[in-house]
Amino acid sequence: METNLLQKSILYLEGVGPARSILFEEELGIKTLGDLVNFFPNRYIDRTKFYKIAELKESGADVQIIGQITSIQSVGTKRKMRLVATFTDETGTMELVWFRSTKWIAQNLKTGVDYVIFGRASKFKSTFSMPHPEMELRSHFNKSLRTALEPVYPSTEKLGKKNVTNKVVQKLIQSLFLQFQNRFQETLSEEIIEQHKLVSKNEALFQIHFPQSQEKLSKARLRLKFEELFFIQLQLLRKNILRKQKIKGYPFQKVGDFFNQFYKEYLPFELTGAQKRVLKEIRKDVNSSAQMNRLLQGDVGSGKTIVALLSALIALDNDYQVALMAPTEILAQQHFESINRMLGDMPVKVVLLTGSVKTTARKEIHKSLIEGDLHILIGTHALLEDTVKFKNLGLVIIDEQHRFGVAQRARMWKKNVLPPHILVMTATPIPRTLAMSIYGDLDISVIDELPPGRKKIQTAWRFDKNRASVFQFVREEIKKGRQVYIVYPLIEESEVLEYKDLMDGYESIVRSFPKPEYQVSIVHGKMKPTDKEYEMQQFATGKTQILVATTVIEVGVDVPNASVMIIESAEKFGLSQLHQLRGRVGRGADQSYCILMAGQKLSNDAKVRLQTMVDTTDGFEIAEVDLKLRGPGNLMGTQQSGVLSLKIADIVKDNAQLKMARYAAIDLLKKDPNLNLPGNKDIKDTYREIDRKVGVWANIS
Ligand code: ADP
Ligand code: MG
């Protein structure tokens, strides 16, 4: 259909007056004919089957019957009045009943002609009765655009109250199609349609509203899903290309002494293939004149820190400063220590800036930052304060991105003339499909290989009654010189309860692991930072063998000698948290273990979570399960939910279509970056139209 026709109000249709048009807009967001065409059914009722009255057995089934009305009568008085019609076919008799609009219905019902009725038949005493049936003269029924599968459209309570039934919506769409069928604008190119064996736009729209068979319906759905995902991908990919053209960055043209000296003399191990590949990707990005915006995904322990450090050294070689931001003080501290350790006596000035740095020291840091003799600044949110000014910030590395909002990312840019390059690191693997849709405009690197010599962490799921044998196992591990974490869940609603659980647990552990043979540390959120620090230190240096903790140790803590992770009330943790916690062990060369202690009564989801942990250590696989259990909205937080409100495609389920759509979009942009080829005109028009409306993905970065 010509685009301007689609933009016409639904008032244009017969049967829609001002009141109804307001109702449609308020309840369903439908204003134009275009909105109505794209208002898809959410399910279908099989109308291929016709029942005989004598066949009715079940009470409450939706059935379709052909028959005639033999008599009509009003029963009861005034407000309790109802209209009852006797309905007959060659096998028997039933009743049709109306409680509302009885007068109007009574005037319009015809006796002695064939009707097709549809509705829910319920048995009262020995007769079946159907309240408010949908009915149509058989002669009309045969002529209409009816199909085997009857669409059921989304509705609302208010629409129901105002008698805007599914039937009404169907009729409107039908009248729209009777006028405009086969005149809808194609949105894809012939090439793409052929290559992916899609049906045309006209065919898809017709079959989604009036499916002639299951098969034609599924082809229609496939086409519409593909199209929806395709234009999202096209948008994201083009945005990425445009960003690179538009947003200039500082080119880091050389690799100099800092990097080379470190690589030759200080690198503590050979880089894995994945680390090398990622470093190359980063190097290529920062060497161009566009700003880097890269997401680095790598499972816990995959070695992201060294990649961050090597990237930082490239920035230093080009006379730029680097900021490294971590979500917690402990993690910032840890980065500071491990980076300093790795740098050894190299002339690189690294400073830690967290909330607990005193004012005088802080001023000192600010001064050396702006003067430029400080190279790498590591810290928490404190780095985002306005008083923190760099001489020339060239690279920002953000660890654990999901804790920092996009807004904060943008804030860091404002401190510079040109935006610094940005490397976002996350150990929470984002399922590829989701990453494609949400971060499609970021470049993504993946470290998909663990450093050599790591043994797969053995994971078991145990109940309270197995506690004695679990503790026995712990004793044996400690005898071998290993260390053990025991973690209690953080219950946000009740800090008191959490604290009590932890303390009870701690006491029973101290009883089972008595001094002087065993030393037990404890850390939790209520402790003073200095006490926490002390206890962590005791464990890190091997003075204590067991660390009892809440989830404060979730991220970052690195004690390679710790080889057992016991998670108490494991059913209360989410999958990604369990995965993060497990990642605290398995950092050394020894075989490591993770034991999930769970209660007896478990929800199905909890069982799936625990079993998934037992079955796999692959973070991406775990993330996929998490996505299926919790849905994309919960997984990613609300700020990106816009991108997830798709009309017909499902980011979780329509994996294959998403990939297909993405590759089609990549391929298209390669051949025709500005969509100027005549064959791509329909795509360009549609793209423009979506752009004009500022589509669903407007609210990301
Ligand atoms: P994460 O990706 O979780 O931040 P880290 O950077 O902390 O991982 O690395 C985990 C551990 O693996 C560290 O002890 C680190 O020194 C070590 N490591 C990293 N890369 C390698 C490698 N290529 N070979 C051997 N050990 C490595
Ligand atoms: Mg890390």
Side-chain angles (χ1 to χ4, degrees):
M1 196 190 311
E2 305 77 47
T3 329
N4 52 359
L5 259 181
L6 274 181
Q7 281 161 9
K8 273 209 160 85
S9 162
I10 52 169
L11 280 166
Y12 188 77
L13 290 175
E14 219 174 290
V16 183
R20 229 170 222 185
S21 101
I22 290 170
L23 202 58
F24 269 96
E25 180 171 356
E26 281 175 357
E27 294 297 298
L28 302 168
I30 295 174
K31 251 162 85 176
T32 63
L33 298 184
D35 295 336
L36 193 60
V37 170
N38 289 303
F39 181 56
F40 300 143
N42 51 13
R43 64 191 177 90
Y44 299 83
I45 298 171
D46 190 347
R47 297 281 294 250
T48 46
K49 170 112 181 114
F50 289 90
Y51 283 83
K52 299 288 176 204
I53 293 174
E55 283 178 324
L56 300 180
K57 288 204 180 63
E58 247 176 276
S59 201
D62 287 325
V63 291
Q64 176 172 253
I65 305 165
I66 298 172
Q68 297 191 349
I69 290 174
T70 48
S71 68
I72 307 166
Q73 69 214 89
S74 294
V75 181
T77 50
K78 295 251 159 119
R79 299 181 70 231
K80 289 208 169 155
M81 204 189 57
R82 61 184 198 276
L83 187 69
V84 180
T86 308
F87 187 75
T88 315
D89 70 2
E90 66 275 18
T91 69
T93 300
M94 65 184 292
E95 284 182 346
L96 310 180
V97 189
W98 292 267
F99 304 95
R100 299 184 304 268
S101 319
T102 49
K103 208 168 152 198
W104 186 83
I105 290 165
Q107 279 165 6
N108 284 284
L109 285 180
K110 295 189 174 82
T111 53
V113 286
D114 273 356
Y115 275 106
V116 178
I117 65 161
F118 179 81
R120 187 153 294 176
S122 299
K123 200 170 183 174
F124 290 108
K125 301 203 177 115
S126 56
T127 13
F128 273 89
S129 116
M130 186 183 288
H132 288 267
E134 284 177 20
M135 52 197 303
E136 198 169 358
L137 288 173
R138 192 178 184 182
S139 50
H140 285 185
F141 181 89
N142 292 342
K143 266 187 275 171
S144 63
L145 280 175
R146 177 169 312 284
T147 59
L149 297 159
E150 179 168 309
V152 179
Y153 292 91
S155 186
T156 67
E157 206 183 319
K158 194 162 172 199
L159 286 172
K161 276 198 189 131
K162 300 266 177 184
N163 278 332
V164 181
T165 56
N166 193 50
K167 198 83 194 168
V168 170
V169 178
Q170 272 180 32
K171 279 222 172 101
L172 287 181
I173 292 181
Q174 182 167 318
S175 85
L176 177 61
F177 269 79
L178 284 171
Q179 290 182 66
F180 301 118
Q181 198 184 154
N182 289 328
R183 287 168 60 198
F184 298 110
Q185 180 67 48
E186 183 51 72
T187 55
L188 297 173
S189 65
E190 260 174 46
E191 190 182 336
I192 287 180
I193 289 176
E194 252 166 53
Q195 190 179 353
H196 297 279
K197 302 195 171 58
L198 301 170
V199 296
S200 72
K201 179 78 172 184
N202 273 307
E203 168 74 1
L205 285 176
F206 182 78
Q207 296 294 343
I208 199 89
H209 291 293
F210 309 99
Q212 291 168 315
S213 69
Q214 267 309 340
E215 201 197 335
K216 286 185 171 171
L217 174 61
S218 57
K219 280 192 175 146
R221 292 177 62 86
L222 176 72
R223 146 85 208 214
L224 294 169
K225 283 176 180 179
F226 176 92
E227 174 180 339
E228 186 169 42
L229 296 166
F230 174 80
F231 281 102
I232 291 182
Q233 290 303 319
L234 198 60
Q235 198 92 1
L236 289 168
L237 290 162
R238 273 207 90 218
K239 225 163 113 183
N240 192 2
I241 294 173
L242 292 178
R243 179 171 55 71
K244 283 181 184 161
Q245 282 166 4
K246 261 200 277 194
I247 305 184
K248 300 285 172 227
Y250 305 109
F252 297 171
Q253 274 155 350
K254 61 178 183 199
V255 169
D257 291 345
F258 282 120
F259 184 96
N260 287 330
Q261 191 189 358
F262 179 82
Y263 206 92
K264 278 191 209 113
E265 297 167 29
Y266 293 82
L267 194 65
F269 36 67
E270 167 92 14
L271 294 184
T272 62
Q275 284 169 324
K276 283 184 190 160
R277 188 189 67 235
V278 167
L279 199 63
K280 238 184 232 156
E281 289 164 353
I282 293 170
R283 174 96 185 85
K284 191 162 164 244
D285 277 3
V286 295
N287 188 20
S288 84
S289 55
Q291 181 217 14
M292 171 170 79
N293 230 318
R294 188 168 279 280
L295 178 69
L296 170 55
Q297 294 195 57
D299 223 334
V300 269
S302 62
K304 293 184 292 296
T305 317
I306 191 74
V307 173
L309 176 56
L310 287 164
S311 310
L313 292 174
I314 298 175
L316 301 194
D317 278 334
N318 291 273
D319 291 325
Y320 289 101
Q321 293 165 301
V322 177
L324 196 167
M325 198 156 72
T328 64
E329 289 214 7
I330 291 185
L331 196 54
Q333 172 89 28
Q334 194 132 34
H335 274 312
F336 175 70
E337 279 162 14
S338 64
I339 283 177
N340 261 332
R341 198 183 327 119
M342 286 195 272
L343 284 171
D345 57 3
M346 279 192 55
V348 178
K349 190 161 176 224
V350 188
V351 164
L352 180 68
L353 179 65
T354 62
S356 47
V357 172
K358 298 275 178 330
T359 315
T360 38
R362 184 175 291 261
K363 282 196 175 140
E364 195 62 31
I365 293 172
H366 290 166
K367 189 162 164 283
S368 58
L369 255 189
I370 196 83
E371 283 170 1
D373 48 275
L374 199 166
H375 295 115
I376 302 177
L377 181 67
I378 299 177
T380 53
H381 284 80
L383 298 198
L384 293 170
E385 278 161 24
D386 289 333
T387 46
V388 180
K389 292 197 182 75
F390 294 82
K391 183 177 178 213
N392 52 359
L393 178 63
L395 171 68
V396 175
I397 300 166
I398 301 175
D399 201 6
E400 288 307 316
Q401 91 26 252
H402 62 289
R403 307 199 180 200
F404 293 106
V406 174
Q408 282 166 324
R409 240 203 285 163
R411 243 180 104 183
M412 296 284 296
W413 297 11
K414 292 206 184 97
K415 296 178 193 283
N416 273 43
V417 186
L418 285 180
H421 296 295
I422 295 190
L423 180 66
V424 177
M425 308 195 291
T426 177
T428 309
I430 301 161
R432 215 136 174 103
T433 51
L434 205 54
M436 273 182 204
S437 305
I438 289 169
Y439 299 109
D441 63 331
L442 289 185
D443 295 302
I444 299 179
S445 291
V446 181
I447 304 186
D448 50 7
E449 180 187 353
L450 292 179
R454 294 276 172 82
K455 293 202 180 75
K456 193 169 171 230
I457 301 166
Q458 284 185 25
T459 303
W461 164 9
R462 294 283 180 271
F463 296 102
D464 236 14
K465 59 176 192 236
N466 312 120
R467 191 167 291 277
S469 69
V470 170
F471 280 4
Q472 188 48 38
F473 173 75
V474 168
R475 286 189 196 95
E476 283 159 22
E477 283 297 299
I478 292 175
K479 207 174 279 166
K480 289 189 212 154
R482 302 286 103 79
Q483 288 167 282
V484 180
Y485 294 105
I486 303 179
V487 180
Y488 287 81
L490 181 112
I491 304 162
E492 274 171 22
E493 314 88 77
S494 167
E495 269 187 42
V496 183
L497 195 64
E498 169 205 336
Y499 186 69
K500 188 182 172 301
D501 276 3
L502 179 73
M503 281 312 172
D504 288 352
Y506 176 65
E507 273 159 31
S508 91
I509 285 157
V510 171
R511 251 178 281 125
S512 307
F513 298 90
K515 286 179 186 176
E517 195 181 352
Y518 301 99
Q519 305 292 327
V520 183
S521 276
I522 179 165
V523 276
H524 56 78
K526 282 194 168 174
M527 285 163 82
K528 281 201 221 112
T530 46
D531 295 346
K532 221 192 294 183
E533 184 60 28
Y534 173 81
E535 290 285 324
M536 292 290 300
Q537 214 53 40
Q538 290 289 97
F539 186 69
T541 52
K543 295 200 177 73
T544 56
Q545 300 101 346
I546 298 176
L547 178 66
V548 177
T550 53
T551 44
V552 289
I553 62 153
E554 186 187 336
V555 276
V557 176
D558 190 11
V559 181
N561 190 49
S563 65
V564 181
M565 167 63 67
I566 297 176
I567 303 175
E568 295 286 346
S569 307
E571 75 273 18
K572 291 186 184 160
F573 290 86
L575 255 180
S576 76
Q577 219 177 4
L578 289 172
H579 181 62
Q580 291 287 330
L581 284 170
R582 180 167 60 184
R584 297 307 102 211
V585 298
R587 312 203 128 219
D590 308 301
Q591 177 60 56
S592 288
Y593 305 90
C594 175
I595 301 169
L596 307 166
M597 301 298 294
Q600 292 285 359
K601 272 197 194 144
L602 296 175
S603 69
N604 276 337
D605 277 11
K607 284 179 194 162
V608 173
R609 289 199 296 271
L610 297 179
Q611 194 56 44
T612 303
M613 289 296 292
V614 171
D615 291 344
T616 179
T617 52
D618 180 334
F620 281 93
E621 225 176 296
I622 289 171
E624 293 282 354
V625 176
D626 207 19
L627 178 62
K628 283 192 183 121
L629 288 179
R630 293 199 298 156
N634 288 324
L635 209 62
M636 300 313 302
T638 47
Q639 79 268 28
Q640 283 107 347
S641 61
V643 88
L644 307 167
S645 63
L646 298 165
K647 254 184 159 33
I648 184 162
D650 179 322
I651 272 190
V652 181
K653 293 187 191 129
D654 298 325
N655 231 296
Q657 284 90 328
L658 177 59
K659 276 186 197 144
M660 205 164 113
R662 183 172 175 85
Y663 294 128
I666 290 174
D667 191 49
L668 173 69
L669 287 175
K670 231 182 247 162
K671 291 182 192 150
D672 188 13
N674 293 314
L675 308 178
N676 285 335
L677 294 178
N680 294 329
K681 181 171 183 309
D682 291 340
I683 295 179
K684 187 170 192 163
D685 289 347
T686 311
Y687 181 90
R688 281 229 181 108
E689 176 67 13
I690 293 170
D691 222 25
R692 193 181 60 79
K693 279 198 227 151
V694 188
V696 285
W697 45 91
N699 51 356
I700 43 168
S701 57

Tab-separated table of all heavy atoms in Angstrom, residues 87-105:
chain	number	residue	atom	x	y	z
A	87	PHE	N	-31.425	-24.009	19.628
A	87	PHE	CA	-30.580	-24.173	18.442
A	87	PHE	C	-30.507	-25.661	18.103
A	87	PHE	O	-30.235	-26.493	18.967
A	87	PHE	CB	-29.182	-23.614	18.752
A	87	PHE	CG	-28.257	-23.553	17.572
A	87	PHE	CD1	-28.415	-22.570	16.601
A	87	PHE	CD2	-27.218	-24.474	17.439
A	87	PHE	CE1	-27.541	-22.490	15.520
A	87	PHE	CE2	-26.350	-24.409	16.361
A	87	PHE	CZ	-26.508	-23.408	15.391
A	88	THR	N	-30.755	-25.987	16.855
A	88	THR	CA	-30.918	-27.393	16.493
A	88	THR	C	-30.099	-27.769	15.264
A	88	THR	O	-29.978	-26.981	14.329
A	88	THR	CB	-32.400	-27.661	16.127
A	88	THR	OG1	-33.212	-27.036	17.110
A	88	THR	CG2	-32.710	-29.141	16.106
A	89	ASP	N	-29.510	-28.944	15.296
A	89	ASP	CA	-28.989	-29.513	14.041
A	89	ASP	C	-29.603	-30.896	13.882
A	89	ASP	O	-30.476	-31.274	14.675
A	89	ASP	CB	-27.453	-29.526	14.016
A	89	ASP	CG	-26.839	-30.530	14.977
A	89	ASP	OD1	-27.605	-31.265	15.656
A	89	ASP	OD2	-25.599	-30.581	15.078
A	90	GLU	N	-29.147	-31.676	12.921
A	90	GLU	CA	-29.839	-32.941	12.678
A	90	GLU	C	-29.590	-33.966	13.783
A	90	GLU	O	-30.212	-35.023	13.805
A	90	GLU	CB	-29.484	-33.503	11.285
A	90	GLU	CG	-28.041	-33.938	11.079
A	90	GLU	CD	-27.109	-32.783	10.675
A	90	GLU	OE1	-27.482	-31.604	10.879
A	90	GLU	OE2	-26.006	-33.072	10.178
A	91	THR	N	-28.704	-33.640	14.738
A	91	THR	CA	-28.416	-34.627	15.778
A	91	THR	C	-29.006	-34.267	17.143
A	91	THR	O	-29.035	-35.095	18.042
A	91	THR	CB	-26.893	-34.810	15.972
A	91	THR	OG1	-26.375	-33.601	16.549
A	91	THR	CG2	-26.186	-35.115	14.668
A	92	GLY	N	-29.410	-33.003	17.325
A	92	GLY	CA	-29.917	-32.667	18.655
A	92	GLY	C	-30.214	-31.198	18.835
A	92	GLY	O	-30.221	-30.428	17.867
A	93	THR	N	-30.417	-30.807	20.088
A	93	THR	CA	-30.837	-29.448	20.409
A	93	THR	C	-30.007	-28.900	21.566
A	93	THR	O	-29.650	-29.646	22.485
A	93	THR	CB	-32.320	-29.465	20.840
A	93	THR	OG1	-33.084	-29.966	19.753
A	93	THR	CG2	-32.814	-28.073	21.179
A	94	MET	N	-29.724	-27.617	21.514
A	94	MET	CA	-29.037	-26.957	22.633
A	94	MET	C	-29.588	-25.548	22.792
A	94	MET	O	-30.454	-25.124	22.019
A	94	MET	CB	-27.532	-26.935	22.389
A	94	MET	CG	-27.109	-26.108	21.196
A	94	MET	SD	-25.329	-26.194	20.851
A	94	MET	CE	-24.655	-25.338	22.256
A	95	GLU	N	-29.050	-24.812	23.794
A	95	GLU	CA	-29.533	-23.452	24.012
A	95	GLU	C	-28.434	-22.429	23.788
A	95	GLU	O	-27.278	-22.663	24.139
A	95	GLU	CB	-30.032	-23.323	25.462
A	95	GLU	CG	-31.366	-23.962	25.684
A	95	GLU	CD	-31.845	-23.766	27.123
A	95	GLU	OE1	-31.023	-23.376	27.980
A	95	GLU	OE2	-33.034	-24.010	27.373
A	96	LEU	N	-28.840	-21.310	23.213
A	96	LEU	CA	-27.934	-20.170	23.135
A	96	LEU	C	-28.494	-19.106	24.071
A	96	LEU	O	-29.697	-18.883	24.098
A	96	LEU	CB	-27.865	-19.622	21.714
A	96	LEU	CG	-27.613	-20.653	20.596
A	96	LEU	CD1	-27.566	-19.949	19.235
A	96	LEU	CD2	-26.331	-21.438	20.842
A	97	VAL	N	-27.597	-18.489	24.854
A	97	VAL	CA	-28.088	-17.576	25.889
A	97	VAL	C	-27.381	-16.225	25.820
A	97	VAL	O	-26.166	-16.156	25.602
A	97	VAL	CB	-27.843	-18.184	27.294
A	97	VAL	CG1	-28.544	-17.347	28.359
A	97	VAL	CG2	-28.307	-19.622	27.349
A	98	TRP	N	-28.182	-15.141	25.969
A	98	TRP	CA	-27.606	-13.791	26.036
A	98	TRP	C	-28.074	-13.081	27.295
A	98	TRP	O	-29.243	-13.165	27.657
A	98	TRP	CB	-28.031	-12.962	24.821
A	98	TRP	CG	-27.438	-13.443	23.527
A	98	TRP	CD1	-26.295	-13.007	22.949
A	98	TRP	CD2	-27.985	-14.439	22.654
A	98	TRP	NE1	-26.073	-13.666	21.768
A	98	TRP	CE2	-27.098	-14.559	21.553
A	98	TRP	CE3	-29.133	-15.255	22.684
A	98	TRP	CZ2	-27.317	-15.444	20.508
A	98	TRP	CZ3	-29.341	-16.132	21.639
A	98	TRP	CH2	-28.435	-16.227	20.561
A	99	PHE	N	-27.169	-12.389	27.939
A	99	PHE	CA	-27.518	-11.628	29.139
A	99	PHE	C	-27.480	-10.127	28.882
A	99	PHE	O	-28.040	-9.347	29.619
A	99	PHE	CB	-26.551	-11.959	30.284
A	99	PHE	CG	-26.498	-13.426	30.596
A	99	PHE	CD1	-25.523	-14.247	30.048
A	99	PHE	CD2	-27.461	-13.986	31.434
A	99	PHE	CE1	-25.488	-15.594	30.331
A	99	PHE	CE2	-27.426	-15.337	31.715
A	99	PHE	CZ	-26.441	-16.149	31.161
A	100	ARG	N	-26.772	-9.743	27.837
A	100	ARG	CA	-26.641	-8.321	27.527
A	100	ARG	C	-27.148	-8.038	26.115
A	100	ARG	O	-27.189	-8.934	25.283
A	100	ARG	CB	-25.161	-7.903	27.599
A	100	ARG	CG	-24.520	-8.093	28.941
A	100	ARG	CD	-23.084	-7.552	28.915
A	100	ARG	NE	-22.252	-8.161	27.868
A	100	ARG	CZ	-21.497	-9.244	28.058
A	100	ARG	NH1	-21.449	-9.823	29.240
A	100	ARG	NH2	-20.781	-9.738	27.085
A	101	SER	N	-27.495	-6.794	25.857
A	101	SER	CA	-27.980	-6.355	24.539
A	101	SER	C	-29.076	-7.273	24.004
A	101	SER	O	-29.175	-7.515	22.805
A	101	SER	CB	-26.847	-6.325	23.506
A	101	SER	OG	-25.676	-5.814	24.048
A	102	THR	N	-29.890	-7.780	24.910
A	102	THR	CA	-30.854	-8.814	24.494
A	102	THR	C	-31.882	-8.291	23.494
A	102	THR	O	-32.272	-9.011	22.577
A	102	THR	CB	-31.599	-9.371	25.723
A	102	THR	OG1	-32.066	-8.268	26.497
A	102	THR	CG2	-30.694	-10.226	26.569
A	103	LYS	N	-32.257	-7.037	23.661
A	103	LYS	CA	-33.287	-6.499	22.785
A	103	LYS	C	-32.804	-6.466	21.336
A	103	LYS	O	-33.459	-6.948	20.418
A	103	LYS	CB	-33.635	-5.079	23.256
A	103	LYS	CG	-35.049	-4.670	22.917
A	103	LYS	CD	-35.407	-3.398	23.646
A	103	LYS	CE	-36.444	-2.633	22.850
A	103	LYS	NZ	-36.516	-1.237	23.281
A	104	TRP	N	-31.616	-5.928	21.189
A	104	TRP	CA	-31.021	-5.786	19.858
A	104	TRP	C	-30.807	-7.160	19.215
A	104	TRP	O	-31.099	-7.377	18.039
A	104	TRP	CB	-29.695	-5.036	19.996
A	104	TRP	CG	-29.060	-4.713	18.687
A	104	TRP	CD1	-29.351	-3.652	17.894
A	104	TRP	CD2	-28.056	-5.468	18.019
A	104	TRP	NE1	-28.595	-3.691	16.764
A	104	TRP	CE2	-27.786	-4.800	16.814
A	104	TRP	CE3	-27.363	-6.654	18.315
A	104	TRP	CZ2	-26.846	-5.261	15.901
A	104	TRP	CZ3	-26.427	-7.110	17.409
A	104	TRP	CH2	-26.169	-6.423	16.212
A	105	ILE	N	-30.345	-8.072	20.009
A	105	ILE	CA	-30.093	-9.418	19.473
A	105	ILE	C	-31.400	-10.093	19.060
A	105	ILE	O	-31.503	-10.673	17.979
A	105	ILE	CB	-29.306	-10.266	20.499
A	105	ILE	CG1	-27.867	-9.723	20.621
A	105	ILE	CG2	-29.261	-11.740	20.096
A	105	ILE	CD1	-27.113	-10.217	21.808
